[in-house]
Amino acid sequence: MIIIMNNEVTDAQIDAVAQRLKSWGLDSNVSRGVERTVIGAIGDESKIDKELLQALPGVEQVIRVMKPYKIVARSYHKEDTVIDIKGIKLGGRQIQVIGGPCSVETQPQMDEAAKYVAAAGCRLMRGGAFKPRTSPYTFQGAGVEGLEMFRKAADRYNLPIVTELMDVRQIDAFMKYDVDVIQIGTRNMQNFDLLKEVGRLHKPVILKRGMSATISEWLMAAEYIAAGGNHDIIFCERGVRSFETYYRNMLDVTAIPVLKKETHLPVIIDPSHAGGKAWMVPALARAAVAAGADGLLVEMHPNPCEAWCDADQALNPQELVDLMGSLKGIAQAIGREL
Amino acid sequence: MIIIMNNEVTDAQIDAVAQRLKSWGLDSNVSRGVERTVIGAIGDESKIDKELLQALPGVEQVIRVMKPYKIVARSYHKEDTVIDIKGIKLGGRQIQVIGGPCSVETQPQMDEAAKYVAAAGCRLMRGGAFKPRTSPYTFQGAGVEGLEMFRKAADRYNLPIVTELMDVRQIDAFMKYDVDVIQIGTRNMQNFDLLKEVGRLHKPVILKRGMSATISEWLMAAEYIAAGGNHDIIFCERGVRSFETYYRNMLDVTAIPVLKKETHLPVIIDPSHAGGKAWMVPALARAAVAAGADGLLVEMHPNPCEAWCDADQALNPQELVDLMGSLKGIAQAIGREL
Amino acid sequence: MIIIMNNEVTDAQIDAVAQRLKSWGLDSNVSRGVERTVIGAIGDESKIDKELLQALPGVEQVIRVMKPYKIVARSYHKEDTVIDIKGIKLGGRQIQVIGGPCSVETQPQMDEAAKYVAAAGCRLMRGGAFKPRTSPYTFQGAGVEGLEMFRKAADRYNLPIVTELMDVRQIDAFMKYDVDVIQIGTRNMQNFDLLKEVGRLHKPVILKRGMSATISEWLMAAEYIAAGGNHDIIFCERGVRSFETYYRNMLDVTAIPVLKKETHLPVIIDPSHAGGKAWMVPALARAAVAAGADGLLVEMHPNPCEAWCDADQALNPQELVDLMGSLKGIAQAIGREL
Amino acid sequence: MIIIMNNEVTDAQIDAVAQRLKSWGLDSNVSRGVERTVIGAIGDESKIDKELLQALPGVEQVIRVMKPYKIVARSYHKEDTVIDIKGIKLGGRQIQVIGGPCSVETQPQMDEAAKYVAAAGCRLMRGGAFKPRTSPYTFQGAGVEGLEMFRKAADRYNLPIVTELMDVRQIDAFMKYDVDVIQIGTRNMQNFDLLKEVGRLHKPVILKRGMSATISEWLMAAEYIAAGGNHDIIFCERGVRSFETYYRNMLDVTAIPVLKKETHLPVIIDPSHAGGKAWMVPALARAAVAAGADGLLVEMHPNPCEAWCDADQALNPQELVDLMGSLKGIAQAIGREL
């Protein structure tokens, strides 16, 4: 931690900062410059309360030197973490495309969806049983029955299932239907009690980025899960809020190389929620793979014009097949496979 | 709802849209312009699935005419709603300043805080027992014991208490200690399961705006609470995420007149979390009152330099007294009182 | 400047940084912490090329300690600068409301506007002769003839005039019509060649904030003007770009106390362009004055429904009179006058 | 144009809107819904003043149906425009990587840079002679002498040159040194007088996106150039301002498919200014090509650690060679060539 004092600082104020650091077990290095005095805190930075230092008289600014995240940091684990989902590897050389509808509607819809997902060459399936909807007056998801339909449809094709958990009270149902990958949605990225709960489970977790979460906040949210013992965390960038109104969210493709540098955990992209329109999905999916993403979450509906939710962003089965084809070439060009 | 068709639309596509509208019970008004055909949907707009229309062939854009919120809308209830909190009115002519520390630490700290809050002329008290912290390694709040300390300290001065609810499993404790106003924090603004639960309670709810929530999404989050039967909702603007790095969040002062137009419910401002620095609080608090806010949430700590959380944004007791003084004059200038 | 080295830094890399600093005339203070080595640069920070340091091997992060602005900084000139505009003081105890239409249209329109501006108690008048319009196909301003009409109308009421300069080639005309205050618009905040030119003039300059300029960039843009010798600079906050779509721009009211701390120069607010709707203007204007603004730029048109530009954001004459009344009380409440 | 009236609208107000539309030569289609009356304007939408309609009594909202841009719109010219720059095609099957240093420093630096740019297989060269710098106290570019050095160095390798124009007064020098492609920088995207001037030239123009310009505003800025007769416009996305602080700007990769849909003009990406760090460039460059960009602007310096400007974002010669290699495979995978 570096503490920059203001230009009218007194010796007593400098001493007070040093004393405070000492009370946390850290030493100080005082550097008196021409216009500013700077205090370096030497020792375990995690013991410091930054806001408290900032409140001390004479302090102008406090700057963190160390990254606040530990377990999820690349420095904690140098190699890429590869997560095993019923034998399917995520985070390694093979890129995983997780396909499926926005929401679970009916058994026939899920059966058909699973068939098309498998046929396109996807190895995992997505689908929402509990849906976070902006309006209380719209379809809120099929709930527990949805989990049952999903499980049944996916099992026929040996597709592990990915679905969103919104509330701690749904965990029992998730265990009952043996959900393979638990998704924490954008609106719950900092629902810390929920993060703590999934941190205790032995299931891989996809952690979607909050609507306007910084990468650092996102890593810290993952740290909540990791601190509970569950290290099988997958980051999912799905577009962030911006001033642009042409599309729904702005896909932050730069987050891919940044996360690859900062963390050892896998990174996937959701091009469907990012753009919000089916015709944008192929370009965004290709960009994500080219930039180094380990996988994709792609919405596909057997019949998009009849979807109960986000109908305009789902690919139809043929579009998913075409997309898989074009992604194959890009994966090869960067030394990976699909 | 207005449906704008693209410039190569066919009659069959126009018919398909009309048929779909009919299936929801709405009529159509087709207007063929020089360059675009526009279809107006006549009837109950809330029956329409916008995304589904957008997915139909030939549709370029679908525009909502009606506001999606109902119970919270000004059109639903013309007069300002005044919420009664143990005899104290929020939303009327009198402006309420809710003072207190960021977090509940110890009984003596809360006792002192309550004394100063009352002495400054505040009629309600705030304090966090359950704290949403960015890092899992920092103080997470005093929990249920915190509620007990808070209740005890506040009761001595007859101050109703305001505190944050983070998880449905804490509701029993909130009921036990008879929390007077439940706060839903920024990170939980779209935690829909939590909103549904507080919608069933008979307690006023302060709904903080999400970090980058639009005003419309915020109103819809309130609608979740209202739809459950609880209409005592207070909007709290606390700064939104922006590109500016000088301060923590950008206080959206324009949200005040906008909410006053769109909803009948009270609007308060949290200048402490917005700016993130104690020295910014007076200017922001004055601006909020001048713009028409019904109240303020202000952090005050008996000894800011010893606070366990957000030490640099809390006013000290004397600063709170001074602030109350300057707010009085502004309240009078706009025909209100403090 | 503080240079944080990465955790695998070598002595040779530390030496290289120190050598580089020496080449610029600065000494180094090396602090070897447990996990990071930090180098403090001691001497004149303005001699350092930050990007170059960042490019050196082993460097993780370079942090500026000093503010990059000089002449405009509060530390350069402790007292508030009061700018004299033909005897009218801006930046002192008296708050100035600069009223007038968005654009100069006709002589009768300007004559009437001037009459109403004066009658409402405003002491300066605004109006655009050269207009930055998003579309090349809309009215681009009355140009030089507009300046003539404006001058004539304002002189009848002894109102100094404020108008926007868009291009260096218009300066001669501005001198000919003796424009009293030159406005640099949002889109030109970083048109550095234009800033350099107005830096050579002896006329007060209103520098509007760029659409998404940080406060630091804005202060540096002012520094361009000041470096040329012209220190009569007025900052004008007019709303910044955000994700919110309900209104045009988000008024950054926090910029007022921040600028008051960082610079000695006056700060005014444009509530008309911020919200973009006439009905939002009173609340925003009141908030600005309460937060400490030295003045306002307010659009008023004798007949808004006939305005050639931004018709929906102009107050009518009576609304301006009413606004002035309500601002008076707020000014008094904070120890100022209108 | 669609005009939505508020729910208390009177017949007289509806008539007034219809009359106003008639005065501009448009007919009206009035659709009286259950809760709202909607007026459709039938005729040439470009004749309508939207703000003026919005100011009329009873009007709640005015929605544009047609895109405001004409010449640059895909509907104006269905096929992709391919721009010929001294025989090199931009916008066709072949992707162009424009390499070179941030700024022109010395003749030897430019000679070396040109050699490496050509050797890496780039067919065009970039370099700044006039530099928009945040601070007035830093290097402002080599100016006209810089143009001369650049021309000389590039001619040896037959590389057409791309350089930024900041001020109308520099145009003569640009003509003298026969600059092949004129770049309009981010800060000047809405410097309308400058756009009008380059609209009169017969030189291709790279129009960089403003720091927080919407895609619609960007297209309208291009329309200013096109309206003057110069249709050889190249859009360059270079990252936009966001809340994220890890990197400099957020690359808006979604802008690529959006522009490809909305305009027939070429689209290129500047990954160097987007991320602001050399190590981010390869991932962003790959993403851009995969998403459909027609070219890239990439900073390369013969010796980045000695660069006079943005040293930390330039690739070194070998990194450029490596990048070109990896881009080749991606280009092939999507049916293009490098």
mmCIF file of all heavy atoms in Angstrom, chain B residues 225-249:
data_model
loop_
_atom_site.group_PDB
_atom_site.id
_atom_site.type_symbol
_atom_site.label_atom_id
_atom_site.label_comp_id
_atom_site.label_asym_id
_atom_site.label_seq_id
_atom_site.Cartn_x
_atom_site.Cartn_y
_atom_site.Cartn_z
ATOM 1 N N ILE B 225 -42.057 -5.398 -5.787
ATOM 2 C CA ILE B 225 -42.452 -5.283 -4.378
ATOM 3 C C ILE B 225 -43.942 -4.938 -4.286
ATOM 4 O O ILE B 225 -44.695 -5.552 -3.540
ATOM 5 C CB ILE B 225 -41.616 -4.198 -3.664
ATOM 6 C CG1 ILE B 225 -40.125 -4.555 -3.742
ATOM 7 C CG2 ILE B 225 -42.065 -4.027 -2.205
ATOM 8 C CD1 ILE B 225 -39.192 -3.449 -3.253
ATOM 9 N N ALA B 226 -44.337 -3.962 -5.086
ATOM 10 C CA ALA B 226 -45.721 -3.492 -5.046
ATOM 11 C C ALA B 226 -46.697 -4.602 -5.442
ATOM 12 O O ALA B 226 -47.786 -4.722 -4.873
ATOM 13 C CB ALA B 226 -45.887 -2.284 -5.963
ATOM 14 N N ALA B 227 -46.289 -5.406 -6.427
ATOM 15 C CA ALA B 227 -47.170 -6.473 -6.906
ATOM 16 C C ALA B 227 -47.471 -7.486 -5.806
ATOM 17 O O ALA B 227 -48.478 -8.182 -5.849
ATOM 18 C CB ALA B 227 -46.540 -7.173 -8.116
ATOM 19 N N GLY B 228 -46.604 -7.551 -4.802
ATOM 20 C CA GLY B 228 -46.812 -8.478 -3.690
ATOM 21 C C GLY B 228 -47.739 -7.902 -2.631
ATOM 22 O O GLY B 228 -48.112 -8.596 -1.681
ATOM 23 N N GLY B 229 -48.077 -6.628 -2.766
ATOM 24 C CA GLY B 229 -49.012 -6.025 -1.819
ATOM 25 C C GLY B 229 -48.405 -4.925 -0.977
ATOM 26 O O GLY B 229 -49.132 -4.153 -0.346
ATOM 27 N N ASN B 230 -47.097 -4.819 -0.953
ATOM 28 C CA ASN B 230 -46.445 -3.788 -0.141
ATOM 29 C C ASN B 230 -46.192 -2.545 -0.996
ATOM 30 O O ASN B 230 -45.322 -2.546 -1.876
ATOM 31 C CB ASN B 230 -45.113 -4.341 0.410
ATOM 32 C CG ASN B 230 -44.460 -3.390 1.385
ATOM 33 O OD1 ASN B 230 -44.878 -2.243 1.540
ATOM 34 N ND2 ASN B 230 -43.413 -3.864 2.041
ATOM 35 N N HIS B 231 -46.961 -1.498 -0.738
ATOM 36 C CA HIS B 231 -46.853 -0.277 -1.546
ATOM 37 C C HIS B 231 -46.004 0.795 -0.872
ATOM 38 O O HIS B 231 -45.869 1.886 -1.402
ATOM 39 C CB HIS B 231 -48.242 0.280 -1.855
ATOM 40 C CG HIS B 231 -49.073 -0.619 -2.718
ATOM 41 N ND1 HIS B 231 -50.208 -0.206 -3.359
ATOM 42 C CD2 HIS B 231 -48.926 -1.929 -3.075
ATOM 43 C CE1 HIS B 231 -50.742 -1.198 -4.036
ATOM 44 N NE2 HIS B 231 -49.988 -2.267 -3.869
ATOM 45 N N ASP B 232 -45.462 0.512 0.294
ATOM 46 C CA ASP B 232 -44.662 1.519 1.012
ATOM 47 C C ASP B 232 -43.205 1.447 0.575
ATOM 48 O O ASP B 232 -42.340 0.930 1.291
ATOM 49 C CB ASP B 232 -44.786 1.308 2.529
ATOM 50 C CG ASP B 232 -46.139 1.775 3.040
ATOM 51 O OD1 ASP B 232 -46.870 2.454 2.278
ATOM 52 O OD2 ASP B 232 -46.484 1.457 4.196
ATOM 53 N N ILE B 233 -42.960 1.981 -0.601
ATOM 54 C CA ILE B 233 -41.637 1.872 -1.217
ATOM 55 C C ILE B 233 -41.027 3.263 -1.340
ATOM 56 O O ILE B 233 -41.701 4.215 -1.726
ATOM 57 C CB ILE B 233 -41.744 1.219 -2.608
ATOM 58 C CG1 ILE B 233 -42.475 -0.121 -2.498
ATOM 59 C CG2 ILE B 233 -40.365 1.038 -3.242
ATOM 60 C CD1 ILE B 233 -43.006 -0.632 -3.822
ATOM 61 N N ILE B 234 -39.763 3.354 -0.975
ATOM 62 C CA ILE B 234 -39.027 4.615 -1.037
ATOM 63 C C ILE B 234 -37.849 4.407 -1.979
ATOM 64 O O ILE B 234 -37.032 3.503 -1.765
ATOM 65 C CB ILE B 234 -38.499 4.991 0.378
ATOM 66 C CG1 ILE B 234 -39.670 5.142 1.350
ATOM 67 C CG2 ILE B 234 -37.630 6.252 0.316
ATOM 68 C CD1 ILE B 234 -39.294 4.789 2.791
ATOM 69 N N PHE B 235 -37.751 5.206 -3.020
ATOM 70 C CA PHE B 235 -36.621 5.105 -3.943
ATOM 71 C C PHE B 235 -35.427 5.838 -3.356
ATOM 72 O O PHE B 235 -35.573 6.941 -2.830
ATOM 73 C CB PHE B 235 -36.983 5.728 -5.297
ATOM 74 C CG PHE B 235 -37.993 4.928 -6.065
ATOM 75 C CD1 PHE B 235 -39.350 5.174 -5.926
ATOM 76 C CD2 PHE B 235 -37.578 3.915 -6.909
ATOM 77 C CE1 PHE B 235 -40.285 4.425 -6.620
ATOM 78 C CE2 PHE B 235 -38.504 3.156 -7.608
ATOM 79 C CZ PHE B 235 -39.866 3.405 -7.468
ATOM 80 N N CYS B 236 -34.257 5.233 -3.451
ATOM 81 C CA CYS B 236 -33.050 5.900 -2.976
ATOM 82 C C CYS B 236 -31.961 5.909 -4.057
ATOM 83 O O CYS B 236 -31.398 4.868 -4.381
ATOM 84 C CB CYS B 236 -32.521 5.240 -1.700
ATOM 85 S SG CYS B 236 -31.020 6.058 -1.089
ATOM 86 N N GLU B 237 -31.708 7.088 -4.592
ATOM 87 C CA GLU B 237 -30.621 7.279 -5.566
ATOM 88 C C GLU B 237 -29.331 7.420 -4.784
ATOM 89 O O GLU B 237 -29.251 8.194 -3.827
ATOM 90 C CB GLU B 237 -30.897 8.540 -6.395
ATOM 91 C CG GLU B 237 -29.711 9.207 -7.046
ATOM 92 C CD GLU B 237 -29.072 8.405 -8.171
ATOM 93 O OE1 GLU B 237 -29.779 7.633 -8.843
ATOM 94 O OE2 GLU B 237 -27.854 8.553 -8.369
ATOM 95 N N ARG B 238 -28.281 6.678 -5.197
ATOM 96 C CA ARG B 238 -27.031 6.669 -4.440
ATOM 97 C C ARG B 238 -25.811 6.746 -5.349
ATOM 98 O O ARG B 238 -24.736 6.322 -4.984
ATOM 99 C CB ARG B 238 -26.963 5.431 -3.555
ATOM 100 C CG ARG B 238 -27.464 4.162 -4.160
ATOM 101 C CD ARG B 238 -26.524 3.522 -5.109
ATOM 102 N NE ARG B 238 -25.436 2.904 -4.385
ATOM 103 C CZ ARG B 238 -24.224 2.742 -4.906
ATOM 104 N NH1 ARG B 238 -23.955 3.142 -6.145
ATOM 105 N NH2 ARG B 238 -23.270 2.183 -4.209
ATOM 106 N N GLY B 239 -26.042 7.328 -6.524
ATOM 107 C CA GLY B 239 -24.930 7.461 -7.453
ATOM 108 C C GLY B 239 -24.851 6.249 -8.343
ATOM 109 O O GLY B 239 -25.124 5.126 -7.906
ATOM 110 N N VAL B 240 -24.513 6.481 -9.585
ATOM 111 C CA VAL B 240 -24.403 5.377 -10.537
ATOM 112 C C VAL B 240 -22.969 5.303 -11.053
ATOM 113 O O VAL B 240 -22.177 6.221 -10.887
ATOM 114 C CB VAL B 240 -25.394 5.548 -11.717
ATOM 115 C CG1 VAL B 240 -26.822 5.451 -11.236
ATOM 116 C CG2 VAL B 240 -25.138 6.843 -12.467
ATOM 117 N N ARG B 241 -22.702 4.197 -11.670
ATOM 118 C CA ARG B 241 -21.373 3.963 -12.222
ATOM 119 C C ARG B 241 -21.145 4.873 -13.435
ATOM 120 O O ARG B 241 -22.025 5.033 -14.271
ATOM 121 C CB ARG B 241 -21.316 2.500 -12.672
ATOM 122 C CG ARG B 241 -19.935 2.083 -13.053
ATOM 123 C CD ARG B 241 -19.496 0.808 -12.377
ATOM 124 N NE ARG B 241 -19.002 0.964 -11.054
ATOM 125 C CZ ARG B 241 -18.523 -0.041 -10.309
ATOM 126 N NH1 ARG B 241 -18.510 -1.256 -10.788
ATOM 127 N NH2 ARG B 241 -18.094 0.172 -9.099
ATOM 128 N N SER B 242 -19.966 5.448 -13.520
ATOM 129 C CA SER B 242 -19.639 6.261 -14.694
ATOM 130 C C SER B 242 -18.163 6.126 -15.003
ATOM 131 O O SER B 242 -17.434 5.399 -14.333
ATOM 132 C CB SER B 242 -19.968 7.719 -14.424
ATOM 133 O OG SER B 242 -18.897 8.337 -13.722
ATOM 134 N N PHE B 243 -17.735 6.836 -16.026
ATOM 135 C CA PHE B 243 -16.330 6.831 -16.449
ATOM 136 C C PHE B 243 -15.458 7.700 -15.548
ATOM 137 O O PHE B 243 -14.235 7.627 -15.601
ATOM 138 C CB PHE B 243 -16.241 7.340 -17.887
ATOM 139 C CG PHE B 243 -16.795 8.719 -18.038
ATOM 140 C CD1 PHE B 243 -16.004 9.828 -17.758
ATOM 141 C CD2 PHE B 243 -18.114 8.931 -18.394
ATOM 142 C CE1 PHE B 243 -16.523 11.108 -17.856
ATOM 143 C CE2 PHE B 243 -18.640 10.207 -18.487
ATOM 144 C CZ PHE B 243 -17.837 11.292 -18.221
ATOM 145 N N GLU B 244 -16.061 8.556 -14.729
ATOM 146 C CA GLU B 244 -15.297 9.499 -13.917
ATOM 147 C C GLU B 244 -14.652 8.766 -12.742
ATOM 148 O O GLU B 244 -15.318 8.005 -12.044
ATOM 149 C CB GLU B 244 -16.222 10.616 -13.411
ATOM 150 C CG GLU B 244 -15.560 11.661 -12.548
ATOM 151 C CD GLU B 244 -14.409 12.398 -13.240
ATOM 152 O OE1 GLU B 244 -14.656 13.038 -14.269
ATOM 153 O OE2 GLU B 244 -13.266 12.306 -12.768
ATOM 154 N N THR B 245 -13.372 9.029 -12.502
ATOM 155 C CA THR B 245 -12.676 8.302 -11.442
ATOM 156 C C THR B 245 -12.364 9.177 -10.230
ATOM 157 O O THR B 245 -11.832 8.685 -9.239
ATOM 158 C CB THR B 245 -11.345 7.732 -11.967
ATOM 159 O OG1 THR B 245 -10.581 8.829 -12.517
ATOM 160 C CG2 THR B 245 -11.577 6.703 -13.048
ATOM 161 N N TYR B 246 -12.708 10.464 -10.307
ATOM 162 C CA TYR B 246 -12.360 11.351 -9.189
ATOM 163 C C TYR B 246 -13.132 10.967 -7.922
ATOM 164 O O TYR B 246 -12.627 11.093 -6.812
ATOM 165 C CB TYR B 246 -12.664 12.800 -9.561
ATOM 166 C CG TYR B 246 -12.026 13.787 -8.614
ATOM 167 C CD1 TYR B 246 -10.862 14.457 -8.957
ATOM 168 C CD2 TYR B 246 -12.564 14.039 -7.356
ATOM 169 C CE1 TYR B 246 -10.260 15.350 -8.082
ATOM 170 C CE2 TYR B 246 -11.976 14.920 -6.471
ATOM 171 C CZ TYR B 246 -10.826 15.570 -6.838
ATOM 172 O OH TYR B 246 -10.233 16.450 -5.966
ATOM 173 N N TYR B 247 -14.371 10.547 -8.128
ATOM 174 C CA TYR B 247 -15.204 10.168 -6.985
ATOM 175 C C TYR B 247 -15.748 8.767 -7.233
ATOM 176 O O TYR B 247 -15.521 8.179 -8.291
ATOM 177 C CB TYR B 247 -16.355 11.165 -6.801
ATOM 178 C CG TYR B 247 -17.010 11.559 -8.095
ATOM 179 C CD1 TYR B 247 -17.834 10.679 -8.764
ATOM 180 C CD2 TYR B 247 -16.790 12.813 -8.672
ATOM 181 C CE1 TYR B 247 -18.432 11.019 -9.948
ATOM 182 C CE2 TYR B 247 -17.376 13.161 -9.868
ATOM 183 C CZ TYR B 247 -18.196 12.263 -10.503
ATOM 184 O OH TYR B 247 -18.784 12.582 -11.693
ATOM 185 N N ARG B 248 -16.465 8.224 -6.268
ATOM 186 C CA ARG B 248 -16.877 6.824 -6.371
ATOM 187 C C ARG B 248 -17.992 6.583 -7.389
ATOM 188 O O ARG B 248 -17.890 5.756 -8.266
ATOM 189 C CB ARG B 248 -17.294 6.299 -5.003
ATOM 190 C CG ARG B 248 -17.347 4.779 -5.012
ATOM 191 C CD ARG B 248 -18.124 4.213 -3.874
ATOM 192 N NE ARG B 248 -17.406 4.369 -2.619
ATOM 193 C CZ ARG B 248 -18.011 4.390 -1.439
ATOM 194 N NH1 ARG B 248 -19.331 4.279 -1.385
ATOM 195 N NH2 ARG B 248 -17.325 4.523 -0.339
ATOM 196 N N ASN B 249 -19.086 7.329 -7.235
ATOM 197 C CA ASN B 249 -20.199 7.170 -8.154
ATOM 198 C C ASN B 249 -20.703 8.543 -8.560
ATOM 199 O O ASN B 249 -20.448 9.531 -7.878
ATOM 200 C CB ASN B 249 -21.352 6.403 -7.494
ATOM 201 C CG ASN B 249 -20.966 4.980 -7.161
ATOM 202 O OD1 ASN B 249 -20.718 4.175 -8.032
ATOM 203 N ND2 ASN B 249 -20.881 4.681 -5.864
#
